[in-house]
Amino acid sequence: MKEHFTAEQLIARFSEKNPTLVPLLPVINEAVEAIIACYEQGGRVFCCGNGGSSSDSAHIVGELLKGFLCERPQSDEMKARLSNHGPLGQLMAEKLQGSLAGIDLTTQQAIMSAVANDTDPVLMYAQQLWGLGRKGDVLIGISTSGNAKNVLAAGIAADILGMTSISFTGEKGGLMGEKFNIAIKAPSNWTPEVQEYHIAIYHLLCALVEAHFFEE
């Protein structure tokens, strides 16, 4: 059984372990509120990153799609409906967890290779978002410099589509810090350190969103 944490406990733990990041709590909370609003309206969160940050994109989506710190059990009604489908349905009723819709744009090899070959590699994420994104959805873009053109192009697409964009960058912010709606700037410009800060930040972000929807 996973231990349940309240939002206050999560923030306190984060602050104790990451005192350097405490000044970012207001903008982190702004991002959390944007994602919660997105989900409450039936929207989805899209993620993309450049280079090593593409792994962070996949990591965030993994925390959204299944239980992170909470168990996220199915409702009794859903358990009953699943159980009607024999042994496999009963397994699903017991173990299938509540989910928050997240899509990682960095793992779609077929469309990314097609874009790279047929149009321009810079558009590998923007092209996907152009077909999948809707007004009210959220884009999380990650780049330590804040200037990755493939992520920046996705941010431009998100803006045109009426989505909310959240950037994870280093301290300078780059162009993403200027063009994305919410800019989370890790207090460093050294790539390894920025990436370490990003992990701590998006773990808190995911945990706070989860706590909102799956409080016991």
Side-chain angles (χ1 to χ4, degrees):
M1 179 69 69
K2 293 183 178 180
E3 184 179 358
H4 178 73
F5 295 94
T6 65
E8 292 75 15
Q9 289 172 324
L10 291 166
I11 292 171
R13 188 180 183 94
F14 173 86
S15 300
E16 180 181 357
K17 292 180 66 65
N18 306 280
T20 307
L21 300 178
V22 169
L24 296 181
L25 283 173
V27 72
I28 293 171
N29 186 62
E30 185 181 358
V32 169
E33 290 179 351
I35 293 171
I36 289 172
C38 165
Y39 283 139
E40 288 181 338
Q41 296 168 17
R44 299 167 296 176
V45 172
F46 296 85
C47 295
C48 62
N50 184 64
S53 296
S54 66
S55 297
D56 292 309
S57 172
H59 192 157
I60 291 170
V61 168
E63 308 298 23
L64 295 174
L65 284 174
K66 64 174 289 297
F68 175 29
L69 298 180
C70 297
E71 291 289 339
R72 303 193 192 180
Q74 297 293 325
S75 66
D76 290 340
E77 178 187 358
M78 190 59 67
K79 286 181 178 179
R81 292 177 63 185
L82 288 165
S83 295
N84 289 332
H85 291 271
L88 181 57
Q90 292 165 12
L91 173 69
M92 295 171 69
E94 178 185 356
K95 297 189 175 181
L96 195 64
Q97 297 180 323
S99 192
L100 296 167
I103 299 172
D104 177 22
L105 300 175
T106 74
T107 57
Q108 306 302 315
Q109 297 302 320
I111 181 61
M112 288 197 300
S113 64
V115 170
N117 184 71
D118 300 343
T119 56
D120 194 301
V122 166
L123 304 180
M124 63 173 65
Y125 303 140
Q127 183 64 63
Q128 295 180 66
L129 210 57
W130 204 245
L132 297 172
R134 298 290 183 270
K135 183 177 181 179
D137 288 342
V138 166
L139 170 69
I140 297 176
I142 313 163
S143 164
T144 57
S145 69
N147 291 315
K149 290 183 180 180
N150 49 9
V151 182
L152 185 60
I156 293 172
D159 178 62
I160 299 301
L161 291 167
M163 299 171 59
T164 298
S165 55
I166 302 169
S167 63
F168 278 70
T169 69
E171 193 167 29
K172 292 181 180 178
L175 290 172
M176 288 169 56
E178 298 175 11
K179 293 186 175 293
F180 279 55
N181 300 124
I182 301 171
I184 299 175
K185 302 175 184 179
S188 174
N189 289 305
W190 188 42
T191 297
E193 193 167 45
V194 172
Q195 292 175 334
E196 290 168 6
Y197 284 146
H198 282 175
I199 293 173
I201 295 167
Y202 65 66
H203 271 161
L204 176 64
L205 186 150
C206 291
L208 289 172
V209 172
E210 179 184 62
H212 177 85
F213 287 103
F214 298 100
E215 284 185 334
E216 294 179 341

